[in-house]
Amino acid sequence: MKSFRKELWFNVPSRRAFINITPQVEECLRESGVKEGIILVNAMHITASVFINDNERGLFHDFEVWLEKLAPHEPVTQYRHNSGEENADAHLKRSIMGREVVVAVTSGRLDFGPWEQVFYGEFDGGRKKRVLVKIIGE
Amino acid sequence: MKSFRKELWFNVPSRRAFINITPQVEECLRESGVKEGIILVNAMHITASVFINDNERGLFHDFEVWLEKLAPHEPVTQYRHNSGEENADAHLKRSIMGREVVVAVTSGRLDFGPWEQVFYGEFDGGRKKRVLVKIIGE
Amino acid sequence: MKSFRKELWFNVPSRRAFINITPQVEECLRESGVKEGIILVNAMHITASVFINDNERGLFHDFEVWLEKLAPHEPVTQYRHNSGEENADAHLKRSIMGREVVVAVTSGRLDFGPWEQVFYGEFDGGRKKRVLVKIIGE
């Protein structure tokens, strides 16, 4: 069994953003040399997310509005977590969007449907944060 | 390490539905011959879901009502994604229910608790869509 | 390929609770002897969750309030699933928080970011329930 590990680093200037990381994940897969197996891509921080969806600008606006409705940032005093920091909403938003994805690797490629792309979801930016890519297989 | 791959195809006539795919997933596992490992089952489309829950009719009614409350289909004009299509809500609903499940394989069986069953969740039907089953192990 | 399997048992007296199970998961990893691979930790019951977040008391209060707002327990008659039982909300809450986590194993350790911890989320306590830990690798 082969295994491969790499960290992807981000420093998002805004509080929230969605970034398409499919090219970086594909590059990791090429580096790994794994042809058959699985790839795990996860946020290493608990106020960020890795998820798979459509690469469409309008949709990301919709996600932003929707997440802010389900788990609003303001008023920050509504959350007990917000003593010293004010990112409780980011923990909740990340719970909806998910921490990780597991993707099949087949014939050396991400075994994706026609529109699947991997995204990093930042919900508490303004600092350096990481995504872990782990690949196991042969 | 063995690996196995199969696609399950669906063509749901209604916009939304929940389909128990446990028998098909078990059949894949038998075909694979894998006794110890893991099985990944994921929607290959970004408006559909694979998830594990209880096989109970009343519960699926509750899921339908609840998802429609959290991410309503109408009015379709509330979403920027809906230019040319009208499935933005399906992308949001799928985000709540999840893209994929990873299940342990032990002694050649899905290592499930007493009520766990695997479901395909369709949120934008009326066309052919796929689920990927990938198994790795020995 | 090595594989390892263990069940963790819980009997939460209250209806809902969050329990940090990171030490038990780390103990499983030590027992397994796996140095490189992945670890799957999943609830074996469909009214419970395994998820990764921050080990902070205020945040767990916020999760409790937030989940109860998104998927309220009362009135129990609002859910069709509640004929004979009254745990429909637990199925919904678990859908938001997730059934499982997959964590990379690197050099014999959980490959975690600085604040990541694994939690068992109980949404319908008062009885014995299980979490499955499955590890594959070398």
Side-chain angles (χ1 to χ4, degrees):
Chain A
M1 198 195 76
K2 276 187 184 174
S3 74
F4 175 90
R5 177 196 194 273
K6 192 165 191 176
E7 294 177 1
L8 310 177
W9 284 81
F10 301 90
N11 195 341
V12 173
S14 54
R15 184 183 298 277
R16 290 191 291 274
F18 298 113
I19 298 169
N20 188 343
I21 60 172
T22 314
Q24 291 99 307
V25 174
E26 287 173 334
E27 177 58 29
C28 288
L29 184 52
R30 275 190 295 272
E31 279 183 48
S32 76
V34 170
K35 300 299 180 194
E36 288 293 325
I38 57 163
I39 180 164
L40 166 70
V41 188
N42 69 265
M44 298 185 77
H45 298 259
I46 67 268
T47 52
S49 181
V50 171
F51 65 95
I52 287 172
N53 218 302
D54 194 4
N55 190 21
E56 200 278 311
R57 183 184 298 268
L59 183 64
F60 288 107
H61 172 84
D62 297 334
F63 270 127
E64 162 67 19
V65 170
W66 181 65
L67 289 169
E68 189 58 18
K69 190 177 73 174
L70 291 185
H73 180 67
E74 301 272 4
V76 296
T77 52
Q78 76 191 291
Y79 302 113
R80 287 206 192 160
H81 180 61
N82 287 341
S83 58
E85 46 190 348
E86 49 172 58
N87 63 7
D89 68 300
H91 292 268
L92 306 181
K93 286 175 169 108
R94 113 72 170 252
S95 299
I96 289 177
M97 298 304 287
R99 165 190 181 260
E100 80 220 6
V101 298
V102 177
V103 179
V105 175
T106 304
S107 306
R109 302 182 61 182
L110 299 176
D111 199 337
F112 268 164
W115 302 104
E116 290 190 287
Q117 298 273 292
V118 194
F119 293 88
Y120 174 66
E122 177 61 82
F123 303 115
D124 186 36
R127 45 182 150 165
K128 290 175 78 177
K129 290 163 87 170
R130 286 173 290 161
V131 162
L132 178 64
V133 179
K134 183 90 182 187
I135 306 173
I136 63 168
E138 282 185 346
Chain B
M1 197 196 77
K2 275 187 186 174
S3 74
F4 175 90
R5 177 196 195 273
K6 192 166 192 176
E7 294 178 0
L8 310 177
W9 284 81
F10 301 90
N11 195 342
V12 174
S14 54
R15 184 183 299 276
R16 289 192 290 273
F18 299 112
I19 298 169
N20 188 343
I21 60 172
T22 314
Q24 290 100 306
V25 175
E26 288 173 333
E27 177 59 29
C28 288
L29 185 51
R30 275 190 296 272
E31 278 184 48
S32 76
V34 170
K35 300 298 180 195
E36 288 293 325
I38 58 163
I39 179 163
L40 166 70
V41 188
N42 68 266
M44 297 185 79
H45 298 259
I46 67 268
T47 52
S49 181
V50 170
F51 65 95
I52 287 172
N53 218 301
D54 194 4
N55 189 20
E56 199 278 309
R57 184 183 297 268
L59 183 63
F60 288 107
H61 172 84
D62 296 335
F63 270 127
E64 163 66 19
V65 170
W66 180 65
L67 290 169
E68 190 58 18
K69 189 176 75 174
L70 291 185
H73 180 66
E74 301 273 5
V76 296
T77 53
Q78 76 191 289
Y79 302 112
R80 287 206 193 160
H81 180 62
N82 288 340
S83 58
E85 46 189 349
E86 49 173 56
N87 63 8
D89 67 299
H91 292 268
L92 307 182
K93 287 175 168 108
R94 114 71 171 252
S95 299
I96 289 178
M97 298 305 287
R99 167 189 180 261
E100 81 220 6
V101 297
V102 178
V103 179
V105 175
T106 304
S107 305
R109 301 183 61 182
L110 299 176
D111 199 337
F112 268 163
W115 302 104
E116 290 190 287
Q117 298 274 291
V118 194
F119 293 88
Y120 174 66
E122 176 61 82
F123 303 114
D124 186 35
R127 44 182 151 167
K128 290 175 77 177
K129 291 162 87 170
R130 285 174 289 162
V131 161
L132 179 64
V133 179
K134 184 90 181 187
I135 306 172
I136 62 169
E138 282 184 345
Chain C
M1 198 196 76
K2 275 187 186 176
S3 74
F4 175 90
R5 178 198 193 272
K6 192 166 192 177
E7 294 177 1
L8 310 177
W9 285 81
F10 301 90
N11 195 343
V12 174
S14 54
R15 184 183 298 275
R16 289 191 291 274
F18 297 113
I19 298 170
N20 189 344
I21 59 172
T22 314
Q24 291 99 307
V25 175
E26 288 172 334
E27 177 58 28
C28 288
L29 185 51
R30 275 191 295 272
E31 278 183 48
S32 76
V34 170
K35 300 300 180 193
E36 288 293 325
I38 58 165
I39 180 163
L40 166 70
V41 188
N42 68 266
M44 297 184 79
H45 297 259
I46 67 268
T47 51
S49 181
V50 171
F51 64 95
I52 288 172
N53 218 301
D54 194 4
N55 190 20
E56 199 278 309
R57 183 183 299 267
L59 183 64
F60 288 107
H61 172 84
D62 297 334
F63 269 128
E64 162 66 19
V65 170
W66 180 65
L67 289 169
E68 189 57 19
K69 189 176 74 174
L70 291 185
H73 179 66
E74 300 272 5
V76 296
T77 52
Q78 76 191 291
Y79 302 113
R80 286 206 193 159
H81 180 61
N82 288 340
S83 58
E85 46 190 347
E86 50 173 55
N87 63 7
D89 67 300
H91 293 267
L92 307 181
K93 288 175 168 108
R94 112 74 170 249
S95 299
I96 289 178
M97 297 305 286
R99 166 189 179 261
E100 81 219 7
V101 297
V102 178
V103 180
V105 175
T106 304
S107 306
R109 302 183 61 183
L110 298 176
D111 199 336
F112 269 163
W115 301 105
E116 290 190 287
Q117 298 273 293
V118 195
F119 293 88
Y120 175 66
E122 177 62 81
F123 303 114
D124 186 37
R127 43 183 152 166
K128 291 175 76 175
K129 290 162 89 170
R130 287 174 288 162
V131 161
L132 179 64
V133 179
K134 184 89 182 187
I135 307 173
I136 63 169
E138 281 184 346

